[in-house]
Amino acid sequence: MRTLISTAFVSLDGVVEAPGGEPGYRNSGWTFKDMEFLPEAYALKGEEQQEATAMLFGRTSYEAFSPVWPDMEEFAAYKAMPKYVVSTTLTEDDLVDNWGETTILRSLDEVAALKETEGGPIIMHGSASLGRSLSDAGLIDRYNLLVFPLLLGAGKRLFSDTDKDTQKLKLVEHEAYANGMQKNVFEVVR
């Protein structure tokens, strides 16, 4: 079974919305505001590119990343990877043609089936709504989190507020940085 990794920039109060400046959120771009840039705090992003063998997105995150990432040198390793977009509304005509093979999945059952295929880890960037649904369905195996020392209040959250049984996580890697950011890698305990 393939490992599904959810990776996110997250505020201390759990917000993941618009970290890079996506429009429509009052605190858009919060990862860059008043935050000293330390390259070592972002080393996890390079490690993820080396480990991942496929990418998974929700529609909104795909539409945000696909026009930008194909031409970014720092994300070059992702270009050749197969990509999967979970959406009930996207069509083949909506996919970019300069970012490699992309497949549209229509349901969580199709994500579960993808996890059963041969291959290495699948990484999911952003995709807050999809991430909450996958978590509730027990399909996420690991969380790679870069936690920012910010309280943003309102905004899309990393985890759902669904009334469900406790899900235990095991901290397998962590590091704190001089700018207050923290790397926390959690495996889901089954």
Side-chain angles (χ1 to χ4, degrees):
M1 178 181 278
R2 299 174 82 170
T3 301
L4 179 56
I5 303 164
S6 172
T7 182
F9 293 151
V10 60
S11 69
L12 194 57
D13 59 348
V15 174
V16 293
E17 187 168 356
E22 299 81 358
Y25 175 58
R26 70 176 282 213
N27 290 318
S28 184
W30 51 269
T31 58
F32 305 113
K33 294 177 183 175
D34 301 318
M35 184 63 57
E36 177 189 2
F37 178 78
L38 296 176
E40 61 270 23
Y42 294 90
L44 179 61
K45 297 292 124 192
E47 295 166 14
E48 290 171 345
Q49 285 186 72
Q50 292 175 356
E51 179 183 17
T53 61
M55 300 176 75
L56 180 71
F57 297 97
R59 180 193 50 81
T60 302
S61 291
Y62 176 80
E63 289 176 339
F65 293 134
S66 65
V68 180
W69 278 16
D71 297 323
M72 291 181 71
E73 188 175 315
E74 58 265 39
F75 297 112
Y78 285 142
K79 193 164 186 168
M81 283 183 203
K83 287 150 205 78
Y84 300 89
V85 184
V86 181
S87 173
T88 58
T89 58
L90 271 182
T91 67
E92 294 293 326
D93 291 338
D94 296 320
L95 302 176
V96 298
D97 58 7
N98 65 334
W99 205 21
E101 173 191 349
T102 304
T103 303
I104 299 171
L105 305 177
R106 299 293 182 194
S107 68
L108 294 183
D109 288 339
E110 290 187 31
V111 175
L114 173 64
K115 284 188 61 175
E116 295 293 331
T117 63
E118 292 293 320
I122 304 164
I123 192 148
M124 180 181 65
H125 290 272
S127 307
S129 296
L130 175 61
R132 289 189 300 272
S133 295
L134 292 169
S135 177
D136 288 347
L139 294 173
I140 295 178
D141 302 296
R142 190 169 85 211
Y143 292 94
N144 289 357
L145 306 178
L146 286 178
V147 182
F148 288 71
L150 302 169
L151 300 175
L152 298 175
K156 291 180 184 175
R157 303 290 170 165
L158 178 62
F159 298 106
S160 78
D161 58 3
T162 302
D163 186 12
K164 60 183 177 183
D165 292 338
T166 300
Q167 175 65 70
K168 187 172 180 178
L169 304 175
K170 179 182 178 185
L171 183 65
V172 295
E173 189 177 340
H174 61 91
E175 193 165 348
Y177 304 99
N179 63 359
M181 288 174 59
Q182 297 176 24
K183 172 176 69 174
N184 292 305
V185 177
F186 292 97
E187 289 181 354
V188 175
V189 177
R190 304 229 193 272

